[in-house]
Amino acid sequence: MTSSPSETTTHPLQEYADLVAETVGGEATVAFDAIKVVVPLDRWVDVHVTARDRLGLVFFSWLSAIDWANEVAVGDPPGETVEERFELLTSLGDVTEGRRVTFSATVDKTSPVVPTLVEVYAGANWHEREAHEMFGIVFEGHPNLTHLYLPESFIGNPLRKSFPLLSREVKPWPGTVDVEGMPGIADDEPTTENPEA
Amino acid sequence: MTIDADTIRHLSEVSVSVELQTEDMTLNIGPQHPSTHGVLRLVARVDGERCHDVQPVIGYMHRGYEKLSEVRTYPQITTIVNRIDWVAGYANEVPFIVAAEKLMGVEAPERAQYIRLILTEMARMASHLVFMASYPLELGAATPLFFALRERERVLDLLEGVTGGRFHPNFNRIGGVKPAYGAGSSTRKMIQDLPAGFLKDTRDAMGRVLGVCDELEDLVAGNEIILARTKGVGILPPEVAVSYGVSGPNLRASGVSFDLRRAESYLPYESFDFDVITGENGDCWDRWWVRLQEIREAARIIVQAVDGIPAGPLQAKVPKIIKVPKGETYVRAENPKGEMGYYLVSDGGTGPYRLKIRSASFSNISVLPYLLEGILVPDIIATMGSLDFVLGDVDR
């Protein structure tokens, strides 16, 4: 059902992933039935024009980012040390074969400025506004880079890992208690999930 | 200065043209408006009955589920995602659970997958029946509402019978479906299966739903006012639709034959016989018609699934404390409103490191400024309603 790049057998998607990587100029990995192509940020717009015009990836699914950070204000920090950066992601697809590819680029945290994709995919408009308010990434050339969900007076970028979740600061979420094992059953014993509390 | 007849004629012409140069009025629609299915605000610049520019203002329902997911455990997140598109709450759970299962290398048993498929199609039916009820109502026809909601209640009864919830079933578990109480050391483990008589009741209900589809077709398709208000209104060309990421019935109404039930393998749809319905013109009428046909196709799928449901276990073996191994994946599903997907990033903990929620209505209504450009004010409601969005699905 699943496969990872470490497996020796070739994943059925690998051939297409290599084709995409070669056409746009990036590095492809296939993991868990998903293709991810890492591309350099300075060719971000070119890559999407190529993907749309030469690979037929005309369907703009979404754009978002991941904040890779070692210090987090809320939630669990990553298990091992990571490179401090934003990872910018877009997901594109076609509407014939059912192909889908995630494009990824690294954005510097100190100056998170990237060119806009609005001219390539009209749907990028709202997604970039969301990424702008949630992560503080600036999309150069965007026609209307204002807040989408949050009021204009809102300060901070909520999806950054350094942004505290206030209710969690005040009181730890009691839900963490729920995943403790039932009395009389060892935690590593294979079973179904907890019964309803 | 003498004024001769020619000058007077000239002056009067000037004054007439000045009168025609009317000022634009800014018209606020919402945030509280019955046709907006929640709290959506439209800022429209109108010149008389003609609309120049419409900007949707969203965010009134923003609940920050992506941030919230980072501090919840995997089993807790199904309760959150239920509330994204609350008209089809069940359908939101499946792609999230499948994404977590993919990273864990767990696969739900076949019977559990069939149950997921039946309930997903029921959620589709319930969602489309709400559209069948509300859309004619927005155009001034109240009667279809009673027909559609009556049969929707039958479908929700079935959903409730299995899951215990009409709107927020919270029925999926990683590796299968919900276990009933009884996993203690002294109690026998009880797994909740389908309630007695469910398969027969479902067949009966599907017959009734197909019946109401015929009634709705008579009521709405035979109504000249509705035809006049929807045919040729709000045309969405396919190339614009894909560029905005419009998906689901809205995309298929524009003539694009694309259905994730065929393209992806999150549920065993490949063993079912159903048609992917497409429209021709991409107008409001086609969007209504495609959804009506999709109810019929959903009934077809459910009847096949009920006839062919295999016996067997409902839960795969999973650890008591769910920890998802490091990795990232994207799983998308054909929800009633369109492509619903989760980009799940795990760093090996009990909760996601990042969960990007791709909801269908968000992209579907981002096309509104394009669709409403130059349209008449009454057509705003006809066009907006035909996109069938839910604000919980827009704002997440």
Side-chain angles (χ1 to χ4, degrees):
Chain A
M1 178 182 157
T2 59
S3 65
S4 63
S6 60
E7 283 176 18
T8 45
T9 50
T10 322
H11 193 281
L13 290 173
Q14 189 67 49
E15 198 183 323
Y16 182 69
D18 291 341
L19 172 76
V20 175
E22 203 189 306
T23 312
V24 302
E27 251 177 78
T29 48
V30 180
F32 305 105
D33 303 334
I35 300 173
K36 180 164 152 181
V37 179
V38 180
V39 296
L41 185 66
D42 52 10
R43 293 190 28 250
W44 185 242
V45 178
D46 287 348
V47 162
H48 285 81
V49 172
T50 311
R52 184 191 63 183
D53 296 340
R54 287 183 54 199
L55 293 166
L57 298 171
V58 290
F59 182 81
F60 182 82
S61 184
W62 51 268
L63 175 148
S64 194
I66 304 173
D67 181 8
W68 291 105
N70 293 306
E71 300 282 325
V72 306
V74 71
D76 297 322
E80 52 200 72
T81 309
V82 295
E83 193 190 332
E84 290 277 345
R85 63 190 170 100
F86 289 128
E87 187 179 353
L88 189 63
L89 299 168
T90 50
S91 179
L92 308 178
D94 66 9
V95 285
T96 44
E97 312 279 313
R99 308 246 190 231
R100 65 183 149 83
V101 179
T102 308
F103 289 98
S104 155
T106 294
V107 179
D108 183 18
K109 265 192 181 173
T110 50
S111 61
V113 181
V114 298
T116 178
L117 291 178
V118 170
E119 296 297 318
V120 190
Y121 293 101
N125 191 321
W126 282 21
H127 289 273
E128 287 182 351
R129 282 173 67 189
E130 189 191 356
H132 169 67
E133 68 179 354
M134 292 297 168
F135 291 96
I137 298 172
V138 178
F139 292 89
E140 254 183 344
H142 191 287
N144 178 29
L145 201 61
T146 51
H147 283 175
L148 181 70
Y149 288 131
L150 305 169
E152 275 304 315
S153 54
F154 191 92
I155 298 170
N157 304 107
L159 278 180
R160 283 193 184 191
K161 289 286 181 183
S162 57
F163 188 92
L165 197 60
L166 278 178
S167 53
R168 193 71 181 274
E169 298 277 298
V170 177
K171 189 170 182 277
W173 174 245
T176 48
V177 180
D178 291 350
V179 291
E180 283 178 7
M182 290 290 286
I185 301 182
D187 278 347
D188 53 355
E189 186 180 325
T191 171
T192 57
E193 274 177 13
N194 283 332
E196 300 307 285
Chain B
M1 180 182 158
T2 54
I3 300 174
D4 58 11
D6 282 350
T7 315
I8 289 172
R9 196 181 305 124
H10 174 71
L11 282 175
S12 70
E13 275 167 6
V14 168
S15 74
V16 165
S17 80
V18 165
E19 261 173 30
L20 281 178
Q21 225 173 39
T22 49
E23 258 182 58
D24 281 359
M25 188 180 85
T26 304
L27 178 68
N28 256 306
I29 305 172
Q32 299 283 351
H33 190 272
S35 74
T36 58
H37 304 255
V39 274
L40 171 71
R41 185 175 148 220
L42 293 179
V43 182
R45 240 170 14 89
V46 292
D47 179 6
E49 282 288 290
R50 191 67 65 178
C51 210
H52 282 320
D53 173 52
V54 180
Q55 289 303 327
V57 180
I58 63 171
Y60 295 93
M61 286 288 299
H62 182 59
R63 293 151 293 176
Y65 283 163
E66 290 182 11
K67 183 81 174 175
L68 195 57
S69 302
E70 291 173 9
V71 296
R72 294 287 182 270
T73 63
Y74 289 96
Q76 288 169 340
I77 290 173
T78 50
T79 56
I80 296 176
V81 302
N82 266 175
R83 285 153 179 79
I84 294 173
D85 170 9
W86 53 71
V87 179
Y90 183 84
N92 302 334
E93 294 176 22
V94 176
F96 171 73
I97 289 288
V98 172
E101 285 173 351
K102 241 183 222 291
L103 291 183
M104 289 178 75
V106 175
E107 194 161 6
E110 213 186 348
R111 186 175 173 85
Q113 295 209 17
Y114 265 67
I115 293 176
R116 285 179 184 176
L117 187 146
I118 293 172
L119 298 180
T120 302
E121 290 307 311
M122 282 184 178
R124 186 182 321 279
M125 228 174 225
S127 169
H128 284 359
L129 282 170
V130 168
F131 173 78
M132 289 295 147
S134 63
Y135 188 51
L137 187 69
E138 281 158 18
L139 299 176
T143 319
L145 179 125
F146 301 99
F147 287 80
L149 289 191
R150 185 189 66 206
E151 296 317 321
R152 169 173 172 266
E153 214 50 40
R154 308 265 169 257
V155 177
L156 288 181
D157 282 350
L158 290 166
L159 252 170
E160 188 183 9
V162 180
T163 66
R166 290 167 77 241
F167 269 46
H168 305 308
N170 192 22
F171 187 65
N172 282 294
R173 297 293 183 271
I174 290 168
V177 293
K178 180 183 178 182
Y181 185 75
S185 52
S186 56
T187 46
R188 211 174 119 252
K189 201 183 296 168
M190 298 284 288
I191 301 292
Q192 185 168 320
D193 206 330
L194 298 172
F198 174 78
L199 301 181
K200 184 189 167 294
D201 291 349
T202 303
R203 279 192 205 95
D204 294 349
M206 290 310 114
R208 298 186 57 132
V209 168
L210 288 176
V212 85
C213 285
D214 296 342
E215 286 175 324
L216 286 168
E217 194 158 7
D218 285 350
L219 267 172
V220 179
N223 185 324
E224 278 183 32
I225 299 171
I226 289 192
L227 293 180
R229 289 208 50 193
T230 55
K231 283 208 167 174
V233 173
I235 294 175
L236 179 61
E239 62 279 4
V240 176
V242 292
S243 156
Y244 276 93
V246 173
S247 53
N250 294 325
L251 179 63
R252 289 190 285 276
S254 295
V256 180
S257 175
F258 185 64
D259 192 318
L260 293 173
R261 289 176 287 181
R262 290 266 194 243
E264 297 279 343
S265 58
Y266 61 102
L267 283 176
Y269 279 108
E270 68 275 4
S271 43
F272 290 84
D273 180 27
F274 65 97
D275 295 330
V276 176
I277 309 291
T278 53
E280 284 170 9
N281 307 317
D283 56 7
C284 296
W285 172 253
D286 279 353
R287 291 193 275 274
W288 179 88
W289 188 83
V290 163
R291 288 194 179 88
L292 181 74
Q293 302 306 319
E294 284 194 0
I295 299 177
R296 290 179 168 144
E297 293 303 315
R300 231 173 112 191
I301 295 172
I302 291 174
V303 169
Q304 291 173 50
V306 162
D307 288 341
I309 188 166
L314 290 167
Q315 251 300 346
K317 290 279 184 210
V318 292
K320 179 176 287 296
I321 295 177
I322 301 280
K323 280 195 175 171
V324 172
K326 198 175 164 181
E328 49 192 87
T329 191
Y330 180 58
V331 172
R332 56 180 184 169
E334 185 69 38
N335 266 30
K337 307 270 187 298
E339 175 184 337
M340 172 99 192
Y342 295 90
Y343 195 86
L344 176 61
V345 182
S346 175
D347 69 332
T350 53
Y353 182 76
R354 168 97 173 92
L355 181 68
K356 160 68 191 166
I357 303 169
R358 195 274 183 203
S359 61
S361 301
F362 178 82
S363 296
N364 286 357
I365 77 157
S366 73
V367 78
L368 272 180
Y370 171 85
L371 278 182
L372 301 182
E373 175 83 46
I375 210 168
L376 291 173
V377 171
D379 289 346
I380 295 180
I381 304 298
T383 305
M384 202 167 67
S386 74
L387 290 174
D388 187 27
F389 55 88
V390 155
L391 262 294
D393 201 29
V394 175
D395 288 351
R396 305 187 304 262

